[in-house]
């Protein structure tokens, strides 16, 4: 037989094996069930009987206790009178409806009975004249114990138990002497009703045997005789002398449970055949799936792209055996799972939207997406094609080389555009901010050259001051231009070292001392000598100098500039604040724009380059820090920036030592 033909019988073989397993399990289970069900029922019934036995013994002993009380009293007071007995009996049993009468019989002859009404004819009755009662009295004398007789039919009517308790007295020589007996008559039905003992209840039937405490050998006096013939569960009801046997069986007998087992077996066997049939259907379906998978492998074997089949639940139904290196997970872990099981919500939404749209429109849908596989990022172009109502084909083409080339081209274009913009800004500054100061300087030097002989010393000094100021401004502008241009072209490499912020700031204030004094501005440094940051010394100095210069520029005469710092959790926060003219919200929005021609005149007409704060922001960002500006008109400005990394060393690092190195 060929391999293909053998495959056809595979579902039949699987279903037959399953059926055999089911039948074996059912047979073992029903056998176990049959053997253990009756044990379980017997255990439950035994617990019920134990509870009823305990209640019956408790109720019976409570009444027997009365006779023992009478016996104890009489043994001490052997000359007890009828009135004394009646009074004592009344106290004991007056409200006990289960008890019929209580009596005492000296030497076996009843001499007192309670209640007397309706029972006076019993007085004088000699218990020893009756063979059965004499036997009971002899037994109590021999055993010194109470004896429960009955149940028996009373002369006055009704069935009851009679409990006899012997009474002994001690003579002066401390020898025991039989005085007589005390008995109590207990109504049978009322006793059983008190303990809720009926011939049957919702679950079980009950029976009692053992008249006169004769146990198994006694007659049945409660319930059906057949109960003792059906292998009942039995417990002993213990009497002071002898015992009764309490037996019970299920309400409908033991056969009911056997019949239930047979019905259960039939149901289980029918279920076994049904499950075997379902397994056959499942095995046949799986065989078809395997055959289809082989066909797909043959069809897709020569393709390089990834090909998936999805259903409407976005589950991977099939995966073509191509390009396994591009699979998000091995195919055996992916098949049968949903897209959402492997991708984040954003990517999963892209794939599922394309699949849904294809099902809705029945048209081919194209989608581009990026994906990280084995720590490498890929770009894919996906094409979703409709197959049938519950199936689409998703073809994923690795588009990474093309996309990378395109991205590289776009980045190069962006970089070129930025370089051109930087060049234009640089030329704009050179044309505007450098040309004007040079014209002023040239004009003044020309005047000096032609008219120096006619100028006074004061006029010459004033012109030289103008020239000096213009040259310093040009130098500062050139420095900022150079640093900014280098930052834009990534030509500056930060050399981070531990820098003492206090010493660096003092050096900047020393350089700006003329500017401060000329405007009578007080500079206050609240920096601690141990304030150490990790930064590029030259770049950080440029930041501090630009910020303080900016504060001086926009602070009126007599104002203040304050420099402080505080440690954050992992950064150092540096604050440069002033009491200057402040800025409006509109001006704040223009601060860091790359329009380099934007500049504001200071309180004494000082001109700026418009580049200083932009340079400050870019240097701070190069240090992975942040810059924040808080300002309002007439209330001064506060520049707050952070530098990551705080040095806790106690050693103070001087900037001059750094320069010497």
């Amino acid at each position: 037989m060929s391999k293909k033909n053998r495959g056809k019988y595979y579902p039949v073989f699987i279903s037959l094996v399953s059926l055999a397993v089911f039948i074996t399990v059912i047979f073992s289970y029903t056998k176990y069930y049959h053997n253990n069900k009756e044990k379980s029922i017997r255990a439950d019934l035994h617990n019920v009987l134990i509870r009823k036995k305990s209640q019956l013994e408790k109720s019976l002993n409570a009444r027997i206790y009365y006779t023992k009380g009478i016996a104890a009293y009489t043994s001490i007071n052997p000359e007890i009178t009828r009135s004394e007995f009646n009074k004592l009996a009344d106290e004991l049993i007056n409200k006990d409806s289960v008890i019929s009468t209580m009596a005492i019989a000296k030497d076996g002859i009843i001499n007192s009975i309670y209640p007397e009404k309706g029972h006076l004819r019993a007085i004088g009755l000699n218990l020893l004249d009756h063979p059965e009662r004499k036997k009971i009295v002899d037994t109590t004398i021999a055993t010194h114990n109470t004896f429960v007789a009955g149940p028996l039919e009373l002369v006055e009517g009704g069935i009851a138990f009679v409990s006899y308790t012997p009474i002994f007295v001690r003579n002066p020589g401390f020898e025991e002497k039989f005085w007589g007996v005390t008995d109590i008559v207990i109504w049978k039905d009322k006793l059983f009703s008190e303990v809720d003992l009926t011939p049957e209840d919702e679950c079980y039937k009950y029976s009692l045997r053992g008249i006169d405490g004769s146990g198994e050998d006694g007659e049945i006096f409660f319930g059906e005789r057949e109960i003792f013939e059906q292998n009942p569960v039995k417990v002993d009801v213990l009497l002071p002398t002898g015992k009764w046997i309490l037996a019970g069986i299920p309400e409908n007998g033991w056969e009911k449970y056997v019949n239930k087992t047979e019905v259960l077996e039939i149901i289980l066997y029918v279920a076994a055949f049904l499950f075997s049939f379902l397994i056959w259907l499942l095995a046949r379906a799986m065989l078809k799936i395997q055959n289809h998978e082989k066909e797909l492998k043959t069809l897709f074997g020569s393709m390089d792209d990834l090909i998936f089949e999805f259903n409407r639940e976005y589950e991977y139904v099939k995966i073509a055996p191509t390009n396994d290196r591009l699979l998000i997970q091995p195919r055996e872990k992916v098949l049968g799972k949903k897209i959402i099981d492997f991708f984040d919500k954003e990517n999963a939404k892209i794939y599922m939207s394309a699949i849904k749209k294809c099902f809705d429109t029945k048209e081919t849908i194209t989608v581009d997406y990026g994906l990280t596989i084995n720590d490498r990022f890929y770009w894919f172009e996906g094409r979703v094609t409709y197959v049938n109502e519950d199936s689409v084909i998703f073809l994923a083409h690795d588009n990474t080389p093309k996309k990378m080339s395109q991205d590289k081209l776009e980045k190069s274009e962006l970089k070129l555009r930025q370089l051109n913009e930087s060049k234009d800004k640089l030329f704009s500054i050179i044309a505007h901010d450098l040309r004007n100061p040079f014209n002023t300087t040239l004009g003044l030097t020309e005047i000096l050259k032609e008219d120096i002989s006619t100028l006074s010393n004061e006029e010459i000094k004033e012109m030289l001051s103008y020239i000096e100021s213009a040259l310093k401004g040009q130098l500062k502008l050139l420095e900022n231009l150079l640093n900014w241009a280098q930052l834009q072209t990534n030509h500056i490499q930060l050399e981070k070292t531990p820098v003492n912020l206090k010493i660096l700031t003092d050096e900047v204030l020393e350089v700006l001392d003329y500017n401060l004094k000329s405007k009578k501005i007080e500079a206050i440094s609240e920096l601690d000598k141990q304030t150490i940051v990790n930064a590029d010394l030259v770049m950080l100095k440029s930041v501090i100098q630009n910020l303080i210069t900016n504060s001086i520029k926009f602070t009126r005469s007599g104002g203040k500039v304050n420099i402080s710092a505080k440690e954050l959790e992992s950064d150092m926060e540096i604050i440069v604040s002033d009491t200057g003219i402040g800025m409006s919200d509109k001006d704040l929005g223009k601060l860091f724009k790359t329009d380099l021609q934007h500049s504001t005149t200071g309180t004494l007409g000082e001109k700026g380059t418009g580049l200083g704060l932009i340079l400050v922001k870019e240097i701070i960002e190069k240090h992975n820090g942040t810059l924040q500006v808080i300002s309002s008109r007439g209330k001064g400005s506060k520049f707050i920036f952070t530098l990551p990394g705080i040095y806790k060393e106690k050693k103070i690092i001087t900037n001059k030592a750094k320069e010497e190195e």
Side-chain angles (χ1 to χ4, degrees), residues 602-615:
T603 56
L604 294 181
E606 303 100 318
K607 292 185 178 181
T609 66
L611 188 64
L613 291 180
I614 295 174
L615 179 64

Side-chain angles (χ1 to χ4, degrees), residues 29 51 82 95 138 161 225 262 291 394 402 428 483 493 496 502 528 538 571 596 633 648:
Y29 171 75
R51 185 169 64 254
R82 286 174 62 180
K95 297 181 180 180
D138 290 341
F161 299 101
R225 178 178 297 277
E262 291 176 353
N291 291 335
F394 193 113
K402 179 180 177 182
S428 175
N483 289 332
Q493 298 297 324
K496 293 184 180 181
K502 166 71 174 172
D528 188 85
V538 177
D571 299 335
L596 299 179
R633 278 290 186 187
K648 302 290 185 180

Side-chain angles (χ1 to χ4, degrees), residues 190-205:
K190 290 184 178 181
L191 175 67
F192 290 167
S193 176
E194 184 180 68
V195 300
D196 195 25
L197 179 61
T198 57
E200 63 180 83
D201 55 27
E202 293 180 356
C203 300
Y204 307 109
K205 291 181 178 180

